[in-house]
Amino acid sequence: MGGAIGAGVALAACGGGGDKKSGAADGGTGAGESGPWSFKDDRGKTAETKSTPKNIVAYTGTAAALFDYGIQVKGVFGPTKTKDGKPDVQAGDLDISKVEIIGNVYGEFSVEKYAALAPDVLITDMWQKDVLWYVPDNSKDKILKLAPSVALWAADQSMTTALQRRADLAKSLGADLNAKKFTDAKAAFEKASARLRAAAKANPGIRVLLGSASPDLFYVSEAKRSCDTRYFQELGVEFVTPKVDSQGFFESLSWENVGKYPADVILMDNRTGTLQPADLGNKPTWGQLPAVKAHQVVPRLTEPIYSYARVAPIVDALAETIEKARKVA
C-alpha cells in the first residue's frame, strides 16, 4: 500500500465495506496431497505450485493465523519483533527466533533475504484491491517474480468472512479443520459472539469510539471499515461515526479537539508505534474525556490474527466490556 494510505491505515484502520463471500470456488487444492497445489485468492488470481508449499513467506499477522492452524512459515514481513527483542503483538504465538524476518516495519522488505529462502509462495493481506500489504511498491515487481502470491482481504468484509478465508487457505496447505482443537475454537467464537449480541441488547445505547493516538493527532476510526468492528456492529454494538477523510478509514483530530465525539467506551489501538493510555498523561484533553474518567478505556487489537482461536477471546472481552459499561458521555 503506498505512501499516505499505508501510513494512515497502519496507524488507525482495518476494515470493510462490502462482503466478499467465500465459496468452494475460492478454496484450494493440495491439502494432504503430493500432487499440484492451487489456491484462488481474493484478487481472483490462482496461485499454483507443483506440490503443497513448504517454503512459505507471509505477512506476520497472516503467518500467526496459519501457525494457529498448524502451518509453519519460513519467513515473515511486518511487525514481528519489538525494540526490546520480544514478539510483537501481531506475531501471536509465532516463535520469532525460528523465522527469517524479511522486514519489521512498513516499507522494509529485504528482497535478498526473501530470495534466499527459495519461497514457494508469498501470502499477505489486502486493504485495497490488488495492493499487497507491506510489500513495498518500489520492489514489488522483483518480489512477485520470485514466487506465486496470495492476497486475502483484511478490509471490506465482515470478520466471519476473513476468518473463513484464512481457514480455507490453511486447509489447502494441509490443516485438518475437523481436528477437535479447531472445532472447539470455532465453537468458542460462536459462543462469544452470542454473548456479545446479548450484551449489546441488554445494555443498549453504549457508544464506543475506536481511537488511535500519536504525539500530534488522535485518530477516530470508522467501524464499518474494519473487519472486527463491522462484525461487532452486526451484533448490535453502537459505534461513534466520524467524518472520515478521502480514504474512508478514519478522521484525524488535534488533541485540542479530541472530545469532539462523546463516547462511553474507548477501544484504543494497541499496535506497536501507537501511544497507549499510559503515555497520554501530558495530554490534558485526554484526561477530561468521560470514558477516561470512568476508566472505560480498553485495548483493541486493531489488526486481529484471523484464526478462531485468536478472535474468540477478543469477542468475549468486548462482551464483558459492554456488559459492565456505564453511560457516561
Side-chain angles (χ1 to χ4, degrees):
M1 186 176 288
I5 298 173
V9 174
L11 273 174
C14 177
D19 283 4
K20 272 74 177 177
K21 299 299 184 183
S22 63
D26 295 320
T29 61
E33 301 173 5
S34 59
W37 172 88
S38 68
F39 186 85
K40 186 177 181 181
D41 75 0
D42 290 347
R43 297 170 295 178
K45 296 184 178 181
T46 300
E48 297 177 299
T49 57
K50 293 181 179 179
S51 60
T52 303
K54 300 299 182 186
N55 292 350
I56 301 169
V57 177
Y59 173 65
T60 303
T62 309
L66 291 174
F67 183 83
D68 288 345
Y69 286 110
I71 306 299
Q72 180 68 54
V73 306
K74 293 292 182 69
V76 295
F77 54 96
T80 305
K81 183 166 61 175
T82 60
K83 292 179 180 179
D84 59 5
K86 295 180 180 179
D88 189 276
V89 65
Q90 291 176 244
D93 284 338
L94 282 176
D95 185 342
I96 64 173
S97 68
K98 293 183 178 180
V99 293
E100 182 73 55
I101 300 175
I102 292 169
N104 197 55
V105 297
Y106 189 81
E108 179 182 274
F109 191 113
S110 172
V111 181
E112 292 75 18
K113 288 182 178 180
Y114 178 60
L117 290 175
D120 293 324
V121 66
L122 179 144
I123 303 169
T124 191
D125 290 345
M126 184 167 60
W127 291 80
Q128 292 177 294
K129 187 167 177 57
D130 299 331
V131 181
L132 304 186
W133 190 226
Y134 271 73
V135 176
D137 287 341
N138 60 3
S139 56
K140 68 177 182 180
D141 290 342
K142 293 180 181 178
I143 294 167
L144 296 179
K145 286 180 181 178
L146 295 173
S149 61
V150 169
L152 298 179
W153 279 108
D156 298 328
Q157 60 182 256
S158 180
M159 187 162 66
T160 50
T161 308
L163 284 164
Q164 186 61 54
R165 292 296 284 144
R166 273 72 179 175
D168 291 342
L169 177 60
K171 181 179 180 180
S172 80
L173 292 169
D176 177 9
L177 300 186
N178 292 319
K180 187 175 186 300
K181 175 182 178 180
F182 305 136
T183 57
D184 284 353
K186 188 171 184 179
F189 167 72
E190 292 169 348
K191 182 178 179 181
S193 297
R195 180 185 178 186
L196 179 55
R197 187 188 297 276
K201 185 176 181 179
N203 195 7
I206 297 296
R207 287 170 55 82
V208 180
L209 182 146
L210 303 175
S212 185
S214 72
D216 298 321
L217 294 170
F218 184 75
Y219 303 90
V220 180
S221 291
E222 169 59 75
K224 70 180 181 181
R225 297 303 309 274
S226 172
C227 301
D228 56 341
T229 51
R230 178 187 174 113
Y231 180 59
F232 301 155
Q233 276 188 317
E234 293 168 357
L235 296 178
V237 178
E238 181 179 338
F239 289 93
V240 166
T241 301
K243 294 182 179 179
V244 296
D245 62 16
S246 61
Q247 303 301 336
F249 285 101
F250 56 85
E251 178 179 359
S252 304
L253 299 176
S254 67
W255 281 102
E256 288 76 16
N257 295 316
V258 72
K260 179 178 179 180
Y261 297 105
D264 303 297
V265 173
I266 299 175
L267 298 186
M268 281 289 284
D269 184 351
N270 76 336
R271 286 175 294 179
T272 303
T274 63
L275 297 182
Q276 299 305 306
D279 305 320
L280 300 176
N282 64 339
K283 306 290 187 185
T285 51
W286 169 257
Q288 295 303 309
L289 295 177
V292 175
K293 288 182 176 181
H295 304 289
Q296 294 185 161
V297 179
V298 294
R300 176 195 174 205
L301 287 162
T302 304
E303 287 190 61
I305 295 167
Y306 288 116
S307 70
Y308 291 104
R310 284 282 162 182
V311 298
I314 294 173
V315 181
D316 210 44
L318 181 58
E320 182 176 3
T321 295
I322 298 298
E323 288 167 354
K324 295 180 178 179
R326 296 179 292 113
K327 294 180 183 179
V328 296

